[in-house]
Amino acid sequence: MTNTDLRPSLSRLRLVHQPTPLHTLDGLAAPAGVEVWVKRDDLTGSHLSGNKIRKLEYLLGDAVQRGATDVLTCGGIQSNHCRATAMAAVPLGLQPHLFLRTEHGRRDELPSPPTGNVLLGQLVGATIHPISRADYSDESVRGARMAALATQLAEAGRRPYTIVEGGSSALGALGYAHAFDEICESLGRAPTSVIAATGSGGTLAGLAIGIARRSASTRAVGINVCDSEAFFTKRVLEITAAAEAELGQPHVAADAIALRDFQGLGYAVSTDEELAALRDAARTTGLVLDPVYSLKAFIGLQTLLTREPELLGACPVFVHTGGIFGLFPAAAQLAPLLA
């Protein structure tokens, strides 16, 4: 039996150290009358740190409820989601299988010695399946590869459970509907906007669902780190529509979300200027950002405070989505900027 056979169980695990801190973002220039806050979801845990673990509370809860023995998921070679899935799954008795994107889908393209999220995945015994960039980018091919492994495991008497890229499904998005509740409860009111990195759409979708639940006028602002604004607008609305149809969540209107493109040279590619901004953020705000997601979202926040302050309003909340382990593979490019 796979997880597509039945309605999700909505069985939620408690994996996040919550509520995560919410504090003003000192050291960041902002227009007069604007108070910027940061939601510290880099502090959801240690090896379970980052935004992905909120989604996994529901997804792995569903897997356990169904009696799964194996969990399959996918991501980039240094995927935070894959690392978090593997490290959360193992204590639950689930064997993780990670489809990691490399250029040509060869095992010798994995970092050797392993570093960052790859190291942590291997540490807990995850089975890694390299998949080429071309195959990964074609969702039908990627899905077929994962489905073939699920079938193989099922034929061997196992009970596989498949999680989509980033955990960005209707069920996974509920984790960030609850995160929005945390933000409102900590603030004592709804913020004017919430800003988060967007790489698969689930975090932004969950925030939008949380906003709709409270009938708040908050704007959910996504900083896309790959693809396009139009792509993620469509993807986020697809996730929220599925949550409405399958899980009874409230309707999310298109004007409740806004996407802004700050991917720069592309996914997981950083310029020296961007990495200098990462360094400067650490030295002025104390935030440790990762080069793939939170750095580009932070640059987006800084830019929008100057160019589109009306989009963010007087009380924006920046969601720090974690990703600290992604710093280590970037050490060689960072090193000259730290002298």
Side-chain angles (χ1 to χ4, degrees):
M1 180 178 71
T2 68
N3 46 302
T4 59
D5 296 323
L6 297 171
R7 181 185 176 95
S9 65
L10 298 184
S11 178
R12 181 186 177 195
L13 300 175
R14 294 297 189 268
L15 303 175
V16 174
H17 295 180
Q18 56 189 321
T20 54
L22 179 76
H23 58 77
T24 54
L25 191 47
D26 299 325
L28 179 68
V34 175
E35 187 172 53
V36 183
W37 296 74
V38 57
K39 177 65 168 168
R40 297 295 302 274
D41 270 14
D42 56 323
L43 302 179
T44 50
S46 56
H47 57 291
L48 298 182
S49 66
N51 63 322
K52 307 303 184 183
I53 202 65
R54 286 192 185 268
K55 304 174 188 178
L56 291 170
E57 287 195 329
Y58 282 94
L59 294 164
L60 292 181
D62 190 42
V64 170
Q65 184 73 15
R66 294 173 184 277
T69 59
D70 298 73
V71 60
L72 288 64
T73 196
C74 60
I77 191 169
Q78 288 291 348
S79 168
N80 295 308
H81 164 67
C82 288
R83 175 262 306 164
T85 301
M87 302 198 86
V90 167
L92 298 172
L94 301 169
Q95 173 61 35
H97 298 264
L98 311 179
F99 284 77
L100 299 185
R101 182 181 64 241
T102 69
E103 189 61 36
H104 304 290
R106 299 198 311 261
R107 187 161 295 277
D108 63 7
E109 293 175 304
L110 297 172
S112 182
T115 185
N117 289 311
V118 173
L119 171 62
L120 293 171
Q122 291 184 341
L123 185 67
V124 295
T127 303
I128 294 179
H129 306 267
I131 178 171
S132 72
R133 183 177 297 276
D135 284 353
Y136 191 96
S137 64
D138 186 326
E139 290 190 30
S140 62
V141 174
R142 185 206 320 161
R145 289 276 302 273
M146 296 177 72
L149 177 60
T151 298
Q152 179 184 335
L153 290 168
E155 289 173 347
R158 309 287 290 178
R159 295 170 70 88
Y161 185 95
T162 299
I163 296 175
V164 299
E165 181 184 44
S168 293
S169 63
L171 183 61
L174 295 187
Y176 267 88
H178 282 290
F180 185 73
D181 288 337
E182 280 185 27
I183 290 170
C184 293
E185 288 160 10
S186 297
L187 272 178
R189 64 190 188 280
T192 53
S193 60
V194 284
I195 303 95
T198 302
S200 56
T203 297
L204 194 67
L207 290 167
I209 292 168
I211 291 166
R213 280 178 170 181
R214 288 176 170 258
S215 299
S217 57
T218 307
R219 180 71 59 82
V221 180
I223 306 299
N224 54 294
V225 302
C226 55
D227 296 297
S228 67
E229 295 174 12
F231 173 88
F232 277 115
T233 299
K234 181 174 181 290
R235 176 62 59 86
V236 169
L237 291 174
E238 287 172 347
I239 296 170
T240 59
E244 181 181 4
E246 300 167 15
L247 306 176
Q249 297 302 303
H251 177 71
V252 172
D255 61 2
I257 63 170
L259 272 296
R260 294 295 184 269
D261 186 349
F262 284 87
Q263 63 178 293
L265 295 180
Y267 179 79
V269 180
S270 301
T271 65
D272 287 344
E273 291 76 15
E274 287 171 333
L275 292 179
L278 184 151
R279 174 202 63 200
D280 294 345
R283 294 178 179 181
T284 58
T285 70
L287 297 182
V288 178
L289 305 169
D290 84 292
V292 180
Y293 294 98
S294 56
L295 169 61
K296 295 189 178 185
F298 189 79
I299 292 171
L301 169 69
Q302 291 177 301
T303 305
L304 293 174
L305 283 169
T306 300
R307 293 183 186 172
E308 291 187 77
E310 69 284 352
L311 179 69
L312 304 185
C315 182
V317 173
F318 174 72
V319 181
H320 189 335
T321 51
I324 189 170
F325 303 114
L327 268 178
F328 302 105
Q333 192 178 357
L334 270 168
L337 304 175
L338 305 180

